[in-house]
């Protein structure tokens, strides 16, 4: 199973919220082309750290694009702060 799908499932189950939050912010920043502080990954438990690395590897090589889009949609639906960021980015572009 690919990294984006695993993160979506983690978010759906609502477990390990702090770990999932870091991974969802990583995915959002990758999608938006924003800066992500990699030091945050080092604070994760090993299994989540590896999942973050797998997500970056998939992203770098363009794997699982449809699943990545679904993950971003799920994150966006859950995260009001990200919705605000997107509104500000849209205003800056306009």
């Amino acid at each position: 199973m690919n990294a984006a799908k695993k993160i979506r499932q983690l978010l759906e189950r609502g477990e390990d919220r702090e770990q999932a939050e870091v991974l969802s912010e990583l995915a959002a920043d990758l999608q938006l082309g924003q800066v992500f502080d990699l030091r945050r990954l080092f604070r994760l438990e090993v299994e989540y750290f590896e999942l973050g690395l797998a997500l970056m590897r998939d992203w770098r090589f363009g794997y699982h694009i449809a699943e990545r889009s679904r993950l971003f949609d799920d994150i966006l639906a859950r995260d009001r702060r990200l919705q605000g960021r997107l509104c500000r980015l849209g205003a800056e572009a306009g």
Side-chain angles (χ1 to χ4, degrees):
M1 183 182 320
N2 67 64
K5 188 169 188 171
K6 287 180 183 179
I7 294 170
R8 279 186 59 228
Q9 290 176 346
L10 179 67
L11 292 170
E12 288 171 3
R13 290 190 306 262
E15 55 190 53
D16 296 318
R17 291 181 192 268
E18 290 179 29
Q19 310 282 315
E21 181 179 327
V22 172
L23 292 172
S24 67
E25 289 177 15
L26 171 63
D29 287 343
L30 286 168
Q31 180 70 27
L32 297 172
Q34 299 292 307
V35 174
F36 179 83
D37 184 358
L38 290 176
R39 292 175 293 189
R40 296 181 68 202
L41 284 181
F42 289 105
R43 294 184 205 120
L44 297 178
E45 295 173 17
V46 174
E47 104 183 65
Y48 299 102
F49 174 81
E50 293 293 335
L51 189 53
L53 291 179
L55 181 67
M56 288 189 292
R57 190 172 23 257
D58 289 353
W59 222 279
R60 183 176 191 294
F61 294 111
Y63 299 147
H64 314 293
I65 292 172
E67 191 61 47
R68 290 176 4 202
S69 294
R70 284 192 287 277
L71 171 61
F72 185 72
D73 289 344
D74 284 357
I75 292 168
L76 184 57
R78 297 170 194 270
D79 190 338
R80 298 235 184 257
R81 193 173 33 164
L82 178 59
Q83 294 168 12
R85 280 177 54 199
L86 285 176
C87 288
R88 285 190 300 281
L89 286 174
E92 290 171 7

